[in-house]
Amino acid sequence: MTNPILATDSYKQSHFRQYPPEATRISAYIEARENDFSNGVLFFGLQAFWKASLSQPITLENIDEARELCRRHGVPFNDEGWQIILSEHSGLLPLEIKALPEGMLVPNGVPLVQVENTDERLPWLSTFIETALLRAVWYPSTVATLSLRCKEVIYKGLVQTSEDPDGQIQFKLHDFGARGVSSAESAALGGMAHLVNFAGTDTMEALNAAIDFYDADMPGFSIPAAEHSTMTSWGASREADAYTNMIDEFGGEGSLVAVVSDSYDLDHAVDQLWGGKLRERVLAKGGTLVVRPDSGDPVTTPIRVIEKLWNHYGGRENAKGYRVLNDAVRVIQGDGMTVETIEKLVTQLVDEGWSIDNIAFGMGGGLLQHVNRDTLRFAMKANAMKIADGTWQDVAKRPATDPAKASKAGRQAVVAVNGTLKAKRLDEVSDEEDLLQPVFRNGDLLSHQAFEDIRIRADEALRKAV
């Protein structure tokens, strides 16, 4: 949607007539409510929304288009309000947005963002942008949270079984989700959110997003890898030739190359080809072959492959007493991976004496697409209204049929109490205590956050959780 006046729900076009006549300002906040998925949310994505959307002024053409569409659609249009924004604010939205630092792991029920109109003739504007603002926050924050949950599981396994858990973790979960999402924008935002936690990705749109919106250097990396089309194009009778070509083209000291090996018979490929006919070639070439099973049970299959590679290539027992394959071979499991199956796989590997060094994990649609606004129960609600005499009145909902949907009354602040973030009323704390700080006002970005700083905060959250 290139017209910001239309990046909202239809019914919001009529809200300028619905607020009380004495209203001059409306405050609203965003939070992840209590949910069954995670005890907290890894906040991310707001700065990207400012750079992609809020920094772009509305135009007369936007107003004309929206007016005509609303007329034909059957909803009112706030011509006067939008003309004020165009003529008196240079088309930039007169809003102040306060937010927590991105990369923070925030408990459920604690506000992440708070927004308020700065032009007192336009109290409707704060909640008019709910649709665009909420989806700009819930989606990347939910993907970042999912990615972090996976990271916690994998890192715990590494701490127990690896001699170098910190050196290993960054490349243990690879993003294969670009083809499984609904749009290029989703690939960019979701893939970028994953890169807050990991450095492995095949979602190239995420790289530009992190560079453009957060001044990242090069946030993600990948390696040469086969897919079924490139392997099966050689034909079943030349499967060994297809694998040989991968080693010859991409192998070598210090290299990694991933080869999908289940196009015909995975056990035959591992035992007779990688472990037999091609074994000496793999060892002589140098580097690391990463065998990828892509079918079968997502827990038992990769373990079986690791066992077979151990039988053919050997390895060592590390200082923690866990088996590590010969550096020439590793495994990646990208099929059927979820938080739950990753945890099962890690647990079984540890129970059977294998170091998590031996395996990497991949996720596709499960990482970038199998989430929605209700995964973390995100919501944006009005919490206060300033009236003509300058005082603020509480605004809140208290549905008797679902008390869990009750919203917060009064403008909010976030404070740290013994290291834990808590929501409090703004009028109860000092400016210095409030962690919700202005990041946007009237078209200007007030606080730029670098991608590496966000990664550092997310990593601190991991250390506290593990």
Side-chain angles (χ1 to χ4, degrees), residues 385-403:
M385 178 178 71
K386 186 180 180 182
I387 61 175
D389 67 4
T391 60
W392 283 92
Q393 297 181 349
D394 288 355
V395 174
K397 59 183 284 189
R398 294 286 185 271
T401 50
D402 190 353

Side-chain angles (χ1 to χ4, degrees), residues 85-105:
I85 293 171
L86 178 64
S87 61
E88 299 186 31
H89 297 282
S90 302
L92 297 169
L93 300 187
L95 294 170
E96 179 180 85
I97 299 176
K98 298 168 69 178
L100 295 177
E102 296 187 35
M104 268 191 166
L105 183 61

Side-chain angles (χ1 to χ4, degrees), residues 205-223:
E205 286 137 318
L207 305 177
N208 273 343
I211 292 167
D212 292 345
F213 298 142
Y214 292 90
D215 294 340
D217 181 15
M218 174 45 63
F221 303 88
S222 189
I223 62 173

Side-chain angles (χ1 to χ4, degrees), residues 143-397:
V143 173
T145 305
L146 169 58
S147 177
L148 180 63
R149 284 196 60 199
C150 294
K151 191 174 185 179
E152 290 174 4
V153 170
I154 299 167
Y155 188 66
K156 286 178 182 177
L158 284 169
V159 168
Q160 184 173 347
T161 68
S162 173
E163 295 172 337
D164 183 25
D166 293 330
Q168 290 271 320
I169 187 61
Q170 289 303 313
F171 291 96
K172 281 300 183 185
L173 182 63
H174 203 85
D175 171 14
F176 294 123
R179 72 188 63 183
V181 292
S182 59
S183 68
E185 183 182 26
S186 295
L189 293 176
M192 177 173 58
H194 170 71
L195 288 172
V196 169
N197 298 302
F198 292 94
T201 186
D202 267 26
T203 301
M204 299 193 75
E205 286 137 318
L207 305 177
N208 273 343
I211 292 167
D212 292 345
F213 298 142
Y214 292 90
D215 294 340
D217 181 15
M218 174 45 63
F221 303 88
S222 189
I223 62 173
E227 69 175 26
H228 288 109
S229 69
T230 61
M231 296 298 92
T232 57
S233 62
W234 291 74
S237 63
R238 292 199 296 162
E239 184 179 14
D241 294 337
Y243 294 165
T244 299
N245 181 67
M246 291 296 294
I247 298 302
D248 290 347
E249 289 291 327
F250 305 111
E253 206 61 41
S255 68
L256 291 96
V257 54
V259 184
V260 63
S261 302
D262 72 327
S263 296
Y264 307 107
D265 184 335
L266 176 65
D267 294 302
H268 170 80
V270 177
D271 281 326
Q272 303 303 318
L273 301 180
W274 294 126
K277 183 176 182 179
L278 302 178
R279 178 181 180 277
E280 295 307 316
R281 195 180 201 102
V282 170
L283 292 171
K285 189 69 174 179
T288 301
L289 163 70
V290 183
V291 177
R292 178 164 72 94
D294 195 47
S295 55
D297 184 271
V299 175
T300 60
T301 301
I303 294 177
R304 189 170 79 249
V305 172
I306 289 173
E307 290 170 345
K308 289 177 179 293
L309 291 174
W310 176 269
N311 293 335
H312 294 294
Y313 287 86
R316 64 184 179 88
E317 183 177 294
N318 68 16
K320 293 185 176 180
Y322 290 87
R323 288 175 290 171
V324 181
L325 287 168
N326 186 313
D327 290 342
V329 286
R330 291 291 185 267
V331 174
I332 184 169
Q333 178 65 29
D335 182 55
M337 290 292 92
T338 65
V339 176
E340 292 75 22
T341 54
I342 289 174
E343 187 164 25
K344 288 179 182 177
L345 180 48
V346 167
T347 299
Q348 191 162 331
L349 284 166
V350 173
D351 288 346
E352 295 184 16
W354 295 106
S355 172
I356 305 305
D357 288 6
N358 296 307
I359 194 167
F361 308 85
M363 290 180 72
L367 178 65
L368 302 189
Q369 187 71 14
H370 294 179
V371 297
N372 57 51
R373 185 169 69 90
D374 291 330
T375 303
L376 295 177
R377 297 188 68 235
F378 262 92
M380 178 171 166
K381 298 298 177 186
N383 58 347
M385 178 178 71
K386 186 180 180 182
I387 61 175
D389 67 4
T391 60
W392 283 92
Q393 297 181 349
D394 288 355
V395 174
K397 59 183 284 189

Side-chain angles (χ1 to χ4, degrees), residues 406-422:
S407 63
K408 292 175 171 57
R411 290 189 294 169
Q412 296 293 296
V414 176
V415 298
V417 179
N418 297 323
T420 301
L421 300 182
K422 302 283 188 181

